[in-house]
Amino acid sequence: MKSAKIIVEVVVDSPESAVAAQDGGADRLEVCVNPAKGGLFPSAKLIREIRERVAIPIHVMIRPRPGNFVYSDSEFELMKDQILIARESGADGVVFGILDKKRDVDGRTRALVELSTPFPSPFIAHLTKHASR
């Protein structure tokens, strides 16, 4: 029986860390800023700079602010804008999570997934289940 290949994804926040991750054998990158705060959406310029320097897929963190994953309507609209910016800047995918006030998966997730198509859009459920209340 053949085992599945483990995909190594590395969180990066600069062109230099992206190149180092690629050179170290990463299969793909998750691009964000402020990873110490759980990661936030990077600038279009940073996405473009990383895209120019690496050949492996880059997925962009769609997150308008640190803290929990319960977002207001205006933050949700900003997330939609971030998905479009990521696409226009050369990203290969996006990563996001959004919860409702009961800390369940927010019904607005479907709209983000549809907007992300044909991007892969992993939902960061492992983080949302532990999000602070």
Side-chain angles (χ1 to χ4, degrees):
M1 181 175 188
K2 191 174 182 179
S3 62
K5 178 181 179 344
I6 295 175
I7 304 234
V8 177
E9 179 178 82
V10 178
V11 174
V12 298
D13 62 355
S14 69
E16 296 77 19
S17 62
V19 169
Q22 176 179 262
D23 291 350
D27 296 301
R28 77 174 165 230
L29 305 174
E30 181 177 305
V31 180
C32 66
V33 294
N34 206 351
K37 292 282 187 181
L40 298 173
F41 182 72
S43 69
K45 181 180 182 208
L46 179 58
I47 298 166
R48 286 191 306 268
E49 287 177 356
I50 290 173
R51 174 73 292 147
E52 290 171 4
R53 301 213 22 213
V54 300
I56 60 177
I58 60 174
H59 291 191
V60 173
M61 171 69 69
I62 304 301
R63 192 166 183 215
R65 62 157 171 80
N68 64 35
F69 294 85
V70 179
Y71 296 115
S72 68
D73 289 340
S74 62
E75 290 168 331
F76 175 72
E77 292 302 316
L78 182 55
M79 292 174 80
K80 293 187 328 189
D81 290 343
Q82 291 174 346
I83 289 169
L84 298 175
I85 292 166
R87 176 179 295 151
E88 293 164 0
S89 301
D92 298 296
V94 294
V95 180
F96 56 82
I98 182 168
L99 300 177
D100 63 21
K101 291 178 182 176
K102 294 180 183 177
R103 306 301 193 266
D104 293 324
V105 174
D106 190 303
R108 297 177 294 177
T109 297
R110 180 178 306 279
L112 295 179
V113 170
E114 288 172 0
L115 185 60
S116 300
T117 303
F119 275 173
S121 52
F123 188 83
I124 47 178
H126 64 282
L127 292 176
T128 59
K129 287 297 180 185
H130 300 290
S132 60
R133 294 179 184 242

